[in-house]
């Protein structure tokens, strides 16, 4: 893995007046490029396969130049070229997932955020250890399938992009549904409404919601669209459809903007604080964008079912600002906030606190 | 109750160049404070328990000063302090609900809107009398449970925040579900899509949609998120879940922005007109913000199931404007519209028409 | 039908410095009038029945003048008056549907877009021929009801505004549900999430996403609200409700804003390209606004179930811009984009390419 020390050395050679922001052409790249341009940065689009044409339709979100590779894993070979261009890489979900977090850790280009988080995020047990030891509530785990006495979600390990889950209401459901050739874990099925909160933690900004090590922000909230579960009910009930061998899937296809009951905001910030503080204790910090993926129960409790430690695609509805970020300043997306942080890091000569 | 005369006398002592806008730190307070600031007012946040920290993350929505009380009912003791600061109180749903409408009526501070509406709004029978005599359609009432021959909603009296309802499809369901120790009423279950329309009625503004006593506006529309009913279908059908003793609840957790089929706008304004006109006949008027909570049936009829006679949290997605308010002017939230009305009242020396 | 030649002759007589934009007062008219005003055009509202009052509440979306007719079909008699005013008609869904596409084709006023598309769009077989021969995937057709071996949607011909569909999961369902007195067709029921993409094709703009004959844009995406299907699950499962003779309906009542997974954007533009190119081959082109109504499956494939060849009401949430159009320029609605195109056509003397 590229160490913080190595990242700092790479940065030392950079021309700070000509930093470029680079990311992979997918996921939230339009927003990242748009935000970078608004803050005065040139941008590099890393395209896998071919230079995508759709950016031509969105001039503000189009990178200034492209680096084209055949496969995600070939990105690693472009590190030298990127460093020559003074590139700082902004990772997003698809970037890390498709390149592979191990490869990503070895990418010899300064990257925004803490790469150490990857070890904690990509392993379900360590993720749970981090979040629960921080004091955040998660859905309970059922160790023994025979103990299933309430609805549960069975998740196969390595399940990605919303596939590889199933719902069981009892042990019989479990036995009928399980593929024992795959590793899985069983968690309590939480009833409620989902909110994906888009946080930002800055160890270098001065004003705002103060924590020991910096300031915490929450810029926007979305809810994910999932195919086919979202509209499945229109065809019939889960129970009847199962008889026809039609099963739910949870593939993310898009996002809708939401706002949260205002009285829950104190809890939102407290959760963010706990997760950030614990990250500093465990692995050197969580800085930049992150997202807590939560369910709000009928008792108005949050259950966190996942954390994403970088920009999520759920920020895309808010490319020109959200009902939350508008209370900070006009026209502030998460993509722009990232570029702003890098700019601030350059101005204050504190890039080492936000780049690894 | 504070009378209009008393409110006018309090206002007479106010320094009109130093009016402050005050509300309780919850519900839609970020929007109210942001809107007040945009119109040039200083603001006071009434905090229950402790000074909330989350405002530090949202500088535009942060009040200029705080008044901290231990309990909601203690707000009444801060009336003198608020009057000394030339405060006008803007009530919202949580403010009135948690303080209690009786206490709120006695709060000796000038408040935005008509306090007389509280008697009509907090009593289900009077609310129904008001709305139906205005000519607005509501879901039908079933007096005798044995007459249930269609799906119904059984609502316990005093049900708040979305709890205390249940659905019955027939008399058997009713008998199985009912808690006879609580008072309840039974209303027709209306099938359709929900729209919460955010109106504003001004008795002092000159231009716009003209009525006898002023102008009517409709600034935005939302739909409420409710836990756990919204996503319950993902686990199974109502019928199957009931067998597992899992029942729906209707606790509001957030809001999503929506727009309505344009051809329904004439009906939207007609409904607003009727409700306002009838309010003037019955109890001296409905001015400022109000919300009709409706279901649009497959025949494109509106059924109004509730009215809120002040700013609702459903306006929160629109802190920088909605697809409707943008057609009035840029960047106009309901919170800002309220501050604008108070400013206009000061300029025209007509605060007595909008403050009680 | 008014030919392109005839439309060009009408335009030849127009005072190009005093062009007005006219549409029927419904559907997306607020947006069309607002967009026209932003581009400097005066506007004419064609009102059926009476001059609508609700525009008074929305000054930016209010037409400069009204032409009032008794019935939709009387619009045809106002052609001379409209031509005298140098009016260009912008058709929308309700305009064409309620006037009737045959009448609309005969309206002797220059109209935005290609009137030839109406023959292909209003006939389900020709629409399918167009789209599938373009290379776009549609839900499969089941010719013989006895072949139903999966969930299907049975659509009666002439079904409008979301009525006249039913879902059958097998041949028995079909037999129980079908009204054999009506013409119908049976299509595969596609599971997934719906996205309604709002495209714009310009044969005269120079910069952007290049195609052989012009540039393609995608300005926004919505999802439709439908009564009563959307919230029907709250009462019970389809199967149980059917026993109570409660059936789903699909009447459009409003729209919610959505964004799509960014990695699907290349497909979105490819679909748009194919549909436009094929339209030029078949009937002289598809220019201006159009909408592909799609379902995204769990395999991230698009199935197109319908095309609308003009502005759709789903653009209404984006009257001040969308997460997509903001990447083109600020404050760009589809209504404004239409007016911009007409302005460009005037400036370049190329109105004949966009008006028929």
């Amino acid at each position: 893995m590229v160490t913080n020390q190595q990242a700092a050395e790479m940065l030392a050679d950079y021309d700070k007046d000509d930093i470029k922001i680079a990311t992979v052409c997918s996921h939230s790249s339009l927003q990242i490029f748009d935000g970078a341009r608004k803050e005065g940065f040139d941008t590099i689009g890393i395209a896998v396969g071919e230079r995508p044409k759709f950016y031509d339709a969105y001039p503000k979100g189009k990178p200034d130049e492209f680096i084209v590779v055949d496969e995600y894993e070939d990105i690693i070979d472009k590190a030298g070229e990127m460093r020559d261009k003074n590139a700082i890489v902004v990772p997003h979900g698809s970037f890390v997932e498709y390149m592979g977090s191990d490869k990503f850790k070895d990418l010899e280009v300064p990257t925004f955020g803490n790469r150490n988080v990857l070890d904690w995020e990509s392993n379900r047990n360590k993720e749970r250890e981090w979040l629960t030891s921080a004091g955040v509530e998660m859905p309970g785990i059922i160790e023994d399938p025979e103990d299933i006495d309430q609805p549960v979600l069975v998740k196969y390990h390595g399940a990605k992009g919303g596939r590889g889950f199933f719902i069981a209401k009892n042990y019989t459901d479990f036995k009928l549904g399980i593929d024992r050739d795959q590793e899985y874990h069983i968690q309590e099925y939480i009833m409620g409404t989902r909110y994906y909160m888009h946080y930002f933690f800055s160890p270098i900004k001065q004003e705002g919601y103060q924590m020991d090590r910096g300031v915490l922000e929450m810029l926007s909230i979305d809810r994910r669209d999932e195919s086919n579960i979202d509209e499945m009910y229109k065809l019939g009930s889960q129970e009847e459809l199962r008889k026809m061998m039609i099963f739910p899937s949870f593939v993310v296809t898009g996002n809708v903007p939401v706002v949260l009951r205002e009285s829950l905001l104190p809890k939102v910030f407290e959760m963010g604080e706990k997760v950030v503080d614990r990250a500093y204790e465990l692995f050197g910090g969580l800085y930049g964008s992150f997202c807590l993926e939560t369910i709000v129960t009928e008792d108005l409790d949050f259950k966190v079912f996942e954390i994403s430690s970088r920009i999520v695609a759920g920020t895309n509805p808010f490319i020109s600002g959200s009902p939350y970020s508008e209370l900070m300043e006009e026209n502030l997306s998460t993509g722009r906030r990232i570029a702003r942080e890098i700019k601030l890091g350059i101005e204050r000569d504190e890039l080492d606190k936000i780049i690894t």
Side-chain angles (χ1 to χ4, degrees), chain A:
Chain A
M1 190 169 103
V2 174
T3 64
N4 289 16
Q5 178 61 24
Q6 288 169 322
E9 285 165 14
M10 294 175 208
L11 275 172
D13 291 336
Y14 272 27
D15 174 358
K16 300 294 188 303
D17 295 326
D18 191 31
I19 297 275
K20 294 187 182 65
I21 287 180
T23 198
V24 165
C25 292
S26 188
H27 189 271
S28 52
S29 72
L30 285 162
Q31 186 194 156
I32 292 169
F33 296 136
D34 174 61
R37 172 166 290 121
K38 281 174 178 158
E39 295 299 317
F41 290 104
D42 277 356
T43 52
I44 301 169
I46 305 166
V48 179
E50 54 177 2
R51 178 199 168 291
K53 190 175 166 187
F54 73 88
Y55 289 105
D56 292 346
Y58 302 114
K60 292 189 191 181
K62 185 178 175 177
D64 293 294
E65 58 180 301
F66 288 93
I67 292 178
V68 181
V69 294
D70 288 335
E71 308 275 352
Y72 267 93
E73 58 180 31
D74 300 333
I75 296 172
I76 206 153
D77 303 325
K78 299 292 184 178
E81 185 179 341
M82 286 196 263
R83 288 196 309 274
D84 289 345
K85 292 176 191 290
N86 301 302
I88 290 175
V89 158
V90 174
H92 53 58
S94 302
F95 193 156
V96 174
E97 181 177 325
Y98 295 127
M99 186 168 175
S101 69
D102 284 339
K103 285 266 183 192
F104 181 78
K105 283 188 275 184
D106 290 337
L107 181 66
E108 295 185 327
V109 186
T111 66
F112 182 70
N114 184 3
R115 281 194 246 202
N116 289 309
V117 73
L118 286 163
D119 288 332
W120 290 80
E121 190 190 15
S122 56
N123 176 309
R124 289 204 187 273
N125 293 332
K126 293 189 84 168
E127 183 189 35
R128 175 168 286 268
E129 183 190 331
W130 169 19
L131 297 178
T132 55
S133 71
V136 161
E137 281 185 72
M138 297 186 76
I141 290 289
I142 290 89
E143 297 293 347
D144 183 345
E146 294 190 35
D147 293 340
I148 298 174
D149 61 355
Q150 60 174 319
V152 297
L153 206 53
V154 184
K155 290 188 177 188
Y156 292 111
H157 291 185
K160 277 175 185 173
R163 298 176 197 269
F165 301 85
F166 75 94
I167 293 167
K169 286 182 213 157
N170 47 50
Y171 181 49
T172 306
D173 279 1
F174 173 84
K175 282 189 294 185
L176 287 172
I178 193 69
D179 171 4
R180 293 192 185 262
D181 290 338
Q182 294 189 58
E183 279 192 282
Y184 61 85
H185 76 277
I186 305 169
Q187 69 182 41
E188 190 188 355
Y189 186 93
I190 305 291
M191 306 272 287
T193 40
R194 289 166 302 133
Y195 295 88
Y196 296 73
M197 268 96 60
H198 315 138
Y199 294 90
F200 195 96
F201 178 72
S202 171
I204 59 178
K205 195 183 166 194
Q206 307 289 326
E207 315 75 31
Y209 185 100
Q210 299 290 334
M211 293 173 49
D212 286 346
R213 295 180 182 82
V215 301
L216 182 64
E217 300 171 352
M218 195 278 285
L219 284 99
S220 50
I221 311 179
D222 82 297
R223 183 168 302 128
R224 283 188 191 157
D225 291 339
E226 292 176 343
S227 177
N228 63 13
I229 183 69
D230 284 7
E231 305 200 31
M232 198 173 182
Y233 69 88
K234 296 181 178 180
L235 182 56
S237 66
Q238 298 286 338
E239 295 84 2
E240 291 299 314
L241 293 175
R242 184 187 289 203
K243 292 179 195 161
M244 305 176 70
M245 300 298 285
I246 298 175
F247 301 99
S249 54
F250 304 84
V251 177
V252 180
T253 57
N255 306 83
V256 296
V258 295
V259 300
L260 185 71
R261 191 174 172 134
E262 191 174 299
S263 59
L264 298 177
L265 284 181
K267 280 191 198 177
V268 165
F269 279 88
E270 283 159 26
M271 287 194 297
E273 280 199 75
K274 288 173 179 174
V275 166
V276 168
D277 278 342
R278 190 69 184 134
Y280 274 93
E281 290 164 10
L282 290 174
F283 52 82
L286 175 68
Y287 30 86
S289 281
F290 67 99
C291 176
L292 291 181
E293 309 181 8
T294 72
I295 297 165
V296 177
T297 69
E298 61 182 3
D299 298 317
L300 298 176
D301 289 325
F302 286 93
K303 303 282 185 174
V304 178
F305 56 94
E306 204 160 326
I307 185 169
S308 294
S309 306
R310 58 199 59 77
I311 186 170
V312 291
T315 58
N316 286 338
F318 307 107
I319 228 152
S320 299
S322 84
Y324 297 100
S325 69
E326 287 288 319
L327 294 168
M328 302 164 64
E329 64 171 83
E330 279 185 29
N331 216 342
L332 183 65
S333 68
T334 289
R336 185 176 190 176
R337 183 64 189 84
I338 290 170
R340 175 81 52 88
E341 187 78 351
I342 294 172
K343 197 158 89 173
L344 190 64
I346 296 168
E347 288 168 6
R348 300 230 174 119
D349 196 17
E350 295 189 299
L351 282 179
D352 58 305
K353 289 192 180 167
I354 58 171
I355 304 286
T356 61

